Amino acid sequence: AEELATLEALNSGKAYAETSTIDIPSAANTLRYYAGMTDKICGKTIPADPDHLCLTVREAGGVCGIIIPWNFPLQILCWKLSPCLACGNVAVVKPSEQTPLSAMRLAALAAEAGFPPGVFNVVNGRGASVGAPLALHPKVDKIAFTGSTGVGHMIMRYASERNLKRVSLELGGKSPNIVFADADFDQAVNAAFMGLFLNQGQCCCAGSRVYVEEAIYERFV
């Protein structure tokens, strides 16, 4: 954990106090959670008339392309990689060209742990030279992307051109904090600051707007 926290601090420019208490523990907890889900993926037997058997069988989706950003490199990678592998898929990961170190180290640790070749792959490069070909490739079955809305539009278009890939997108937004007059005032003020300025505001769900009930508006502002 200390090694990864130090590497992530060097990788992203965050303080070690953040990577050691937020990024790495969250990544580890995600891996642990989905490791526990691997024996809990099952289909259903659906009631039907006596002459028929109706059931569902869950199967792996195939090759998953994972494109991650630079703000929480290892944490977001684990959010996407963990369920991908737990469901029997293989992954081709494109980390941000600005923060590739933790993804490369995690792949090395996976190889040391005995992952079969080809299960967890990392390809480095910029969006145009790696991300776009990954989204266009006919043998990639799913794309998971976190980043800007503009690139999300491009991913959707690329995914539809060759083989109608499944797509999951986590894009930027303008997330509001809503504060009512009966809220714990001091806690609400602190939460509004934290919601916007956590990780220097470089967060997909940063609370960049605040809606405050009129009765406490002046005091709050």
Side-chain angles (χ1 to χ4, degrees):
E2 183 177 342
E3 177 201 352
L4 288 173
T6 301
L7 183 64
E8 193 72 326
L10 294 170
N11 192 36
S12 63
K14 298 183 186 187
Y16 177 83
E18 290 184 27
T19 60
S20 61
T21 59
I22 299 173
D23 296 64
I24 304 308
S26 174
N29 288 337
T30 301
L31 289 168
R32 188 176 296 112
Y33 175 84
Y34 282 102
M37 290 297 293
T38 55
D39 62 353
K40 300 173 182 66
I41 302 168
C42 55
K44 296 181 179 180
T45 301
I46 302 167
D49 67 75
D51 295 328
H52 294 84
L53 175 65
C54 183
L55 54 83
T56 61
V57 177
R58 296 188 179 276
E59 298 179 341
V63 179
C64 298
I66 298 174
I67 303 174
I68 56 173
W70 42 261
N71 54 344
F72 292 92
L74 187 62
Q75 187 176 357
I76 293 177
L77 171 58
C78 289
W79 289 353
K80 300 183 186 304
L81 179 69
S82 302
C84 167
L85 299 182
C87 293
N89 303 289
V90 300
V92 180
V93 176
K94 186 206 115 39
S96 168
E97 64 274 13
Q98 297 169 316
T99 53
L101 299 181
S102 52
M104 294 169 65
R105 181 57 182 148
L106 186 63
L109 290 171
E112 290 176 20
F115 274 44
V119 170
F120 176 13
N121 311 275
V122 177
V123 183
N124 288 305
R126 301 183 66 84
S129 58
V130 177
L134 189 61
L136 284 164
H137 201 288
K139 292 188 177 180
V140 174
D141 302 288
K142 161 75 188 286
I143 287 287
F145 168 78
T146 296
S148 71
T149 302
V151 176
H153 279 288
M154 296 169 64
I155 295 290
M156 288 286 286
R157 186 171 71 250
Y158 294 155
S160 69
E161 287 186 10
R162 300 288 175 85
N163 59 340
L164 288 176
K165 295 174 177 62
R166 295 186 178 97
V167 177
S168 58
L169 304 174
E170 181 194 2
L171 309 177
K174 298 288 287 184
S175 305
N177 293 285
I178 302 174
V179 184
F180 293 102
D182 61 351
D184 182 316
F185 189 84
D186 290 337
Q187 183 180 2
V189 170
N190 289 334
F193 273 102
M194 182 63 72
L196 177 57
F197 296 114
L198 176 68
N199 202 45
Q200 297 77 51
Q202 297 161 350
C203 187
C204 299
C205 55
S208 52
R209 294 182 293 167
V210 182
Y211 293 118
V212 184
E213 192 170 350
E214 188 173 6
I216 61 167
Y217 177 83
E218 292 298 334
R219 181 187 173 204
F220 192 94
V221 172

